Amino acid sequence: MARVGVFVCSCGANIADFIDVDAVVHETKKIREVELAVNYRYFCSAPGQSLIRDAITAHRLTSIVVAACSPRMHETTFQKAALEAGMNPYLVEIANIREHSSWVHQNDKTKATLKACDLIRMAVAKSTANEKLHEITVPVSDRALVIGGGIAGIQAALDIANARHPVVLVERQSSIGGRMAQLDETFPTLDCSQCILTPKMVEVARNPYIELIPYAEVVELNGFVGNFKVKIKKKPSYVDFSTCTGCGACTQKCPVKVKNEFNLGHDTRKAIYSPFPQAVPSKPVIDPDACLMITKGKCGLCSKVCEKGSIKYDMKEEIVEREIGAVVVATGYDLFDARSYEEYGVGRYKDVITSLEFERMVSASGPTNGVPIRPSDGEIPKSVVFIKCVGSRDESKGYPYCSKICCMYTAKHAMLLHHKVPDSQSFIFYMDIRAAGKGYEEFVKRVQTETGVVYLRGRVGKIYKRGKKLIVRGEDSQIGQAVEVEADLVVLATAIKSFHDSVDLARILGISYDQHGFFSEAHPKLRPVETSKAGIYLAGCSQAPKDIPETVAQASACAAKVCGLLAADVLKKDPLIAKIVRENCSGCRNCIKLCPYQAISTEEIPDGHNSKITRVIAKINEGLCQGCGACVSGCRSTAINLCGATDRQIVNQVNSI
Ligand code: FAD
Ligand code: SF4
Ligand code: SF4
Ligand code: SF4
């Protein structure tokens, strides 16, 4: 005979103010299987848990129901309390009378109380059919995969490797470094980006625990937490990295010049090239669209000068596979293409550029050796207008969110311009100044005081040409007037957007993304670096726009999570998964098609007593099954049960109301 204990929590005033808990206890006591029903102010508190433990032993309870908040909040707390009292934790049921009753029916205490009684009655009925279940253990592969070699991926890979777990770092470009490699000095301290980044890049190359796979992409991920199998496509670089010394003789000889993407087309590169001098790995790749040998079968100069014989024009793409336990996604961001702002003349006026172009110009390693110029005539600009929120916070362009970093880097740009061209004048059109961060507000103040930059609060309506100058027409809401500023150069702080193919990667990895294509975290406050798929974590701008300090902190947080996971030889998993009722299974394979996690295969078993005749039935992979229940509802033979939500448990619940 079932002996169920029911613990009705007041949750302070959260439940007790909107539900008559005494009446609920009184009603609950009338249920035949209920041995004990009590109310307490906070069952999640230490004394509350102690009450539960004592009641389980004193009343020899066979299952318990805690009528309280959502199971997402405290189910494990109550399961642990039960376990400490010698009860199997899966004999605990939660009746969510807070989120499902007191919070949503605050205006009708009578009905909220009745609903709480119903929820408890259902939970009691279910609990009488609960079975003792035990955690599942699955082996863990001691290797992490980091996708993306920007500062986020670099930091995560180094932290994991320094804890002596092997890491595979996959980067799409021929070098790691990401956007940070393109930056000059960084706010708020104005330290040189390359100087703080390149030592970390070199550390990646030297770390024996890191396998760096550049010029490559993840094309397939199978398996489950602790046991993923990844397929990585290595693009042909046409250079054998294992023998190439990075001497650069090939690049020097190459006769072909094309636009250099790293400098956003403001200078040229060769057809065989390294993206920037401090690239890691320091090996060139051949651009197959530009190379004369690959496109026309002529030239071959690089091969002739390469003493190591490293040039391989017939190199093909290659797929490599690795077994891994956890994944960090650090694929960064793209920038909004401002050409849709026709009123700003983007693409029409050479002297309207983006902030990243300005960043390359003021960089000592940039196309103009650190000197800001007007692209139209090469002259040094004396009057520069910076426009913030170009795309960002603009619903009409589809980017209603704040890009978070533009306020700060635009202030930085005013400072850099002042350093490079002391007799220049900066104007910044802005909506707000968002400078929340350690030392950020102080930095903006410093820029204002030291450079004399003029901040104009308002949107820019139009940019047009007058002679050699650009006229920027906007409004200054502080004085309530339209203003016109004559500029030599206009710099647009374009919105940070998700990486252009982030949705494709999300599909490959089986993780979710928001309406803007940024990957979604499992919980915005409590699980900010985890995805909802166990074993996959997020770092840097792939999750949302952020600056370098925040990116690095998030990457280290990911690494801590990964190290925690990989430290164990086996992984414990909730047993609330699908189970085949072998005698009922007809082997129709319907469930295999329905399972979104590819967790079902088949096995051959002896048919009845005759061991010579066999039949095929479905088989669940315990590691892969996420307990979603899709297969259960699709099985016509009722041959699958979901542990924790069996047919009997559900029927009991339905009958009880
Ligand atoms: P990224 O730097 O974008 O790196 C992502 C990497 O992943 C890239 O190497 C990319 O090639 C790779 N990748 C993408 N997809 C794949 C794939 N499918 N497979 C493999 N690899 C992939 N921040 C500051 O704190 N201070 C500053 O002064 C500052 N100035 C800035 C100025 C400008 C103009 C801009 C635009 C940004 C500035 N930032 C600054 C912000 C800074 O750039 C970011 O915080 C930082 O780059 C985020 O790093 P990340 O690793 O997340 O992304
Ligand atoms: Fe350049 Fe191609 Fe000629 Fe090599 S073969 S030197 S990469 S054009
Ligand atoms: Fe068919 Fe059900 Fe067996 Fe799957 S479990 S093979 S759906 S009978
Ligand atoms: Fe697949 Fe979901 Fe069934 Fe598990 S419960 S086998 S994940 S369909």
Coordinates of all heavy atoms in Angstrom, one line a residue, residues 576-578 591 594-600 619-621 624-632 640 642, ligand 4:
L576 N 15.9 9.6 -17.0 CA 14.5 9.8 -17.5 C 14.6 9.8 -19.0 O 14.5 10.8 -19.7 CB 14.0 11.2 -17.0 CG 14.0 11.3 -15.5 CD1 13.5 12.7 -15.1 CD2 13.1 10.3 -14.8
I577 N 14.8 8.6 -19.5 CA 14.9 8.4 -21.0 C 14.0 7.3 -21.5 O 13.3 6.6 -20.6 CB 16.4 8.0 -21.4 CG1 16.8 6.7 -20.6 CG2 17.3 9.2 -21.1 CD1 18.1 6.1 -21.2
A578 N 14.0 7.1 -22.8 CA 13.1 6.0 -23.3 C 13.6 4.6 -23.1 O 14.8 4.4 -23.0 CB 12.9 6.3 -24.8
C591 N 10.0 4.5 -34.9 CA 10.6 5.3 -33.9 C 12.0 5.9 -34.4 O 12.4 7.0 -34.0 CB 10.8 4.6 -32.6 SG 11.6 3.0 -32.8
L594 N 11.6 9.0 -36.1 CA 11.0 10.1 -35.3 C 12.1 10.7 -34.3 O 11.9 11.9 -33.9 CB 9.9 9.6 -34.4 CG 8.6 9.3 -35.2 CD1 7.6 8.6 -34.3 CD2 8.0 10.5 -35.8
C595 N 13.1 10.0 -33.9 CA 14.0 10.5 -32.9 C 14.9 11.6 -33.4 O 15.7 11.4 -34.3 CB 14.9 9.3 -32.4 SG 16.1 10.0 -31.2
P596 N 14.8 12.8 -32.9 CA 15.6 13.9 -33.4 C 17.0 13.8 -32.9 O 17.8 14.6 -33.4 CB 14.9 15.2 -32.7 CG 14.1 14.7 -31.5 CD 13.8 13.2 -31.8
Y597 N 17.4 12.9 -32.1 CA 18.8 12.8 -31.6 C 19.5 11.5 -32.1 O 20.5 11.2 -31.6 CB 18.8 12.8 -30.0 CG 18.1 14.0 -29.5 CD1 16.8 14.0 -29.1 CD2 18.9 15.2 -29.4 CE1 16.2 15.2 -28.6 CE2 18.3 16.4 -28.9 CZ 17.0 16.4 -28.5 OH 16.4 17.5 -28.0
Q598 N 18.9 10.9 -33.1 CA 19.5 9.6 -33.7 C 19.9 8.7 -32.6 O 20.9 8.1 -32.6 CB 20.7 9.9 -34.5 CG 20.4 10.6 -35.9 CD 20.3 12.1 -35.7 OE1 21.1 12.7 -35.0 NE2 19.3 12.7 -36.3
A599 N 19.0 8.5 -31.6 CA 19.3 7.7 -30.4 C 18.8 6.3 -30.6 O 19.0 5.5 -29.7 CB 18.7 8.3 -29.1
I600 N 18.1 6.0 -31.7 CA 17.5 4.6 -31.8 C 18.1 3.9 -32.9 O 18.3 4.4 -34.0 CB 16.0 4.7 -32.0 CG1 15.3 5.7 -30.9 CG2 15.3 3.3 -31.8 CD1 13.8 5.8 -31.0
K619 N 16.4 -0.4 -30.3 CA 17.4 -0.3 -29.2 C 17.7 1.2 -28.9 O 18.0 1.9 -29.9 CB 18.6 -1.1 -29.6 CG 19.6 -1.2 -28.5 CD 20.9 -1.8 -28.9 CE 21.9 -1.8 -27.8 NZ 23.2 -2.1 -28.3
I620 N 17.6 1.6 -27.7 CA 17.9 3.0 -27.3 C 19.3 3.1 -26.9 O 19.8 2.4 -26.1 CB 17.0 3.4 -26.2 CG1 15.5 3.2 -26.4 CG2 17.3 4.9 -25.8 CD1 14.8 4.1 -27.4
N621 N 20.0 4.1 -27.5 CA 21.3 4.5 -27.0 C 21.2 5.4 -25.8 O 20.7 6.6 -25.9 CB 22.1 5.2 -28.1 CG 23.5 5.6 -27.7 OD1 23.7 6.1 -26.5 ND2 24.5 5.5 -28.6
L624 N 22.7 9.0 -26.0 CA 22.1 9.9 -26.9 C 20.7 10.4 -26.6 O 20.3 11.5 -26.8 CB 22.1 9.3 -28.3 CG 23.4 9.2 -29.1 CD1 23.2 8.5 -30.4 CD2 24.0 10.6 -29.3
C625 N 19.9 9.5 -26.0 CA 18.5 9.8 -25.7 C 18.4 10.9 -24.7 O 19.0 11.0 -23.7 CB 17.8 8.5 -25.1 SG 16.1 8.9 -24.7
Q626 N 17.6 11.9 -25.1 CA 17.3 13.1 -24.3 C 16.0 13.1 -23.6 O 15.6 14.0 -22.9 CB 17.4 14.4 -25.2 CG 18.7 14.6 -25.9 CD 19.9 14.8 -24.9 OE1 19.8 15.6 -24.0 NE2 21.0 14.1 -25.2
G627 N 15.3 11.9 -23.8 CA 14.0 11.8 -23.1 C 12.9 12.7 -23.6 O 12.0 13.1 -22.8
C628 N 13.0 13.1 -24.9 CA 12.0 14.0 -25.4 C 10.6 13.4 -25.6 O 9.6 14.1 -25.6 CB 12.4 14.6 -26.7 SG 12.4 13.4 -28.1
G629 N 10.6 12.1 -25.8 CA 9.3 11.4 -25.9 C 8.7 11.3 -27.3 O 7.6 10.7 -27.4
A630 N 9.4 11.8 -28.3 CA 8.9 11.7 -29.6 C 8.6 10.3 -30.1 O 7.5 10.0 -30.7 CB 9.9 12.4 -30.6
C631 N 9.5 9.4 -29.7 CA 9.3 8.0 -30.2 C 8.1 7.4 -29.5 O 7.4 6.6 -30.1 CB 10.6 7.2 -29.9 SG 11.0 7.3 -28.1
V632 N 7.9 7.7 -28.2 CA 6.8 7.1 -27.5 C 5.5 7.3 -28.1 O 4.7 6.4 -28.3 CB 6.8 7.6 -26.0 CG1 5.7 7.0 -25.2 CG2 8.2 7.5 -25.4
I640 N 7.4 1.5 -26.3 CA 8.4 2.4 -25.7 C 7.7 3.1 -24.5 O 6.6 3.6 -24.6 CB 8.9 3.5 -26.7 CG1 9.2 2.9 -28.0 CG2 10.2 4.1 -26.1 CD1 9.7 3.8 -29.0
L642 N 8.6 6.0 -21.4 CA 9.5 7.1 -21.0 C 9.7 7.0 -19.5 O 8.7 7.2 -18.8 CB 9.0 8.4 -21.5 CG 10.0 9.6 -21.6 CD1 11.1 9.2 -22.6 CD2 9.3 10.8 -21.9
Ligands
SF4_4 FE1 15.0 9.8 -29.3 FE2 13.5 11.3 -27.7 FE3 12.9 8.8 -28.0 FE4 15.0 9.5 -26.6 S1 12.9 9.9 -26.1 S2 15.0 7.9 -28.2 S3 15.7 11.3 -27.7 S4 12.9 10.3 -29.6

